[in-house]
Amino acid sequence: MEANRVYNFNPGPATLPLSVLKEAQAEFLNFGDSGMSILEISHRAKPYAAVHAQAKADIKELMGLGDDYEVLFCQGGASQQFAMIPLNFASKDHPGSYVLSGSFASKAYKEAELLGVGEIAASSKDRDFKHIPIQEELKINPNAAYVHLCYNNTIYGTEYHYIPETNGVPLFADMSSDMLSRPLDFKKFDFIYAGVQKNLGPAGVVLVVAKKELLAKSPKTLPTMFRYSTFLEKDSLYNTPPAFCIYMVGKVAAWIKAEGGLEEMAKRNKKKAAVVYDAIDNSDGFYKGHADKDSRSFMNVTFRLPSEELEAKFVKEALAQGLSGVKGHRSVGGMRASIYNAMPYEGAEKLAQFMDNFRKENA
């Protein structure tokens, strides 16, 4: 890797395209001949306004969405959206209906439950979140305000490979860890949000892409900054936004476009995931994948080794080979390789080769 960089398999903050980092580096001290860094420019200034508008336009273009959708840049992480969504849209008569497929889906539900406006439509907790609930498992309340999904589960390594039918109930999705990683019929979603630090940029901003008519319905009884309508009406500029993070998200979106769009990202991500999953499946049981095969994530590959001692050795030796961030989440242990858009195929291939060599030496 260039400049003594490692292959970064961390789940977030995660790897970013090297060319994007170089672009940011080149214009860091003097953005757009302004004599200032992007970190110093006013969010009301024309140079920043252009960055803001272009990022929004590129994201909507990649998603194939029209003027009935709006792009917002919010703060507080996806965790704050867990609370803002039920505050803005749910009630006791029209609760949020949650599909529990992992840790973050469960955390989102708990916020709605705390407010007394949440219910469970389906859950895979009884099988340790090894699979994504299928359509037939979903028990959707026709009076629900929305159906909420976590589209990719970073901790457990599962991902939706279908778009649920909700029979007219608005479909909401947390896409923090697979946003813009493959083509989807995004028009079937009413509200999408993503903490960008996993696949789109640095930590500090949440991307929201939703129908304008939905965003405009925030209750006026909510504090100003808790209303999505505030972000809609003020173009996410009611207060000083995380300008540098938005600038980076815009650069990553432009990079995706230049590389061939979501179709190309999907092709690359499928190829990367295949080489790592093959290392698991061809290990004679030395490596055990967590997710059921039909629910496997293209973004986060999770697996265990025969013992925790071997897992600790794996992490140490992987880092010595320039493979960083492969340790699994503390709540489940094991290994996790996050292979987001910016991870080159060479990184996934090197990890698979290391896995094969480690197995031969330690089986």
Side-chain angles (χ1 to χ4, degrees), residues 55-71 175 179-189 192 207 209-211 253 256-257 260-263:
K56 291 173 57 176
D58 285 346
I59 289 164
K60 285 176 66 173
E61 181 182 339
L62 285 166
M63 298 176 75
L65 298 175
D67 289 339
D68 53 333
Y69 282 80
E70 184 58 286
V71 173
M175 292 190 180
M179 187 67 163
L180 303 187
S181 66
R182 54 179 169 157
L184 290 171
D185 188 352
F186 292 104
K187 295 185 181 71
K188 290 187 176 180
F189 297 87
I192 296 167
L207 176 66
V209 184
K211 288 183 176 178
I256 292 172
K257 283 180 59 179
L262 301 191
E263 291 79 7

Side-chain angles (χ1 to χ4, degrees), residues 11 45 73 79 106 113 116 133 135 150 152 184 205 209 211 230 233 250 268 277 292 305 327 335 342 345 356-358:
F73 298 114
S79 296
S106 300
E113 184 184 34
Q135 181 71 50
C150 184
N152 182 77
L184 290 171
V205 66
V209 184
K211 288 183 176 178
T230 299
E233 293 164 6
R268 296 180 187 182
Y277 283 122
D292 290 350
L305 277 72
K327 186 176 181 180
M335 301 296 115
Y345 176 75
D356 189 48
N357 291 335
F358 187 89

Side-chain angles (χ1 to χ4, degrees), residues 152-153 156-159 161 269-283 287-293 295-303 337 339 348 351-352 355:
N152 182 77
N153 300 283
Y156 295 95
T158 61
E159 187 172 19
H161 297 298
N269 291 330
K270 185 175 182 180
K271 184 179 179 182
K272 288 182 293 185
V275 74
V276 182
Y277 283 122
D278 283 349
I280 295 172
D281 295 339
N282 297 327
S283 71
Y287 300 111
K288 296 186 183 298
H290 178 82
D292 290 350
K293 288 187 177 182
S295 292
R296 279 176 166 176
S297 169
F298 290 125
M299 297 283 96
N300 309 97
V301 181
T302 55
F303 57 96
I339 46 178
L351 174 61
M355 290 171 66

Side-chain angles (χ1 to χ4, degrees), residues 224-246:
T224 305
M225 283 300 290
F226 290 167
R227 298 181 217 151
Y228 286 111
S229 59
T230 299
F231 290 85
L232 174 66
E233 293 164 6
K234 301 298 182 181
D235 193 23
S236 303
L237 297 168
Y238 178 83
N239 69 329
T240 305
F244 179 76
C245 296
I246 295 168

Side-chain angles (χ1 to χ4, degrees), residues 48-162:
Y48 175 72
V51 168
H52 195 93
Q54 190 62 54
K56 291 173 57 176
D58 285 346
I59 289 164
K60 285 176 66 173
E61 181 182 339
L62 285 166
M63 298 176 75
L65 298 175
D67 289 339
D68 53 333
Y69 282 80
E70 184 58 286
V71 173
L72 308 180
F73 298 114
C74 302
Q75 298 176 54
S79 296
Q80 184 166 302
Q81 308 308 305
F82 296 164
M84 280 184 67
I85 286 170
L87 282 169
N88 277 263
F89 304 117
S91 67
K92 291 187 188 308
D93 292 333
H94 300 285
S97 189
Y98 288 77
V99 182
L100 308 188
S101 56
S103 177
F104 294 108
S106 300
K107 287 181 178 180
Y109 165 68
K110 286 180 180 178
E111 295 296 291
E113 184 184 34
L114 182 66
L115 295 166
V117 294
E119 61 185 21
I120 298 173
S123 175
S124 55
K125 184 178 181 180
D126 61 334
R127 292 193 56 240
D128 198 20
F129 297 124
K130 291 179 181 292
H131 78 285
I132 293 294
I134 61 174
Q135 181 71 50
E136 289 71 23
E137 294 178 72
L138 308 186
K139 308 300 180 186
I140 299 171
N141 178 352
N143 290 320
Y146 54 82
V147 175
H148 180 281
L149 317 171
C150 184
Y151 222 61
N152 182 77
N153 300 283
T154 58
I155 292 175
Y156 295 95
T158 61
E159 187 172 19
Y160 279 80
H161 297 298
Y162 77 104

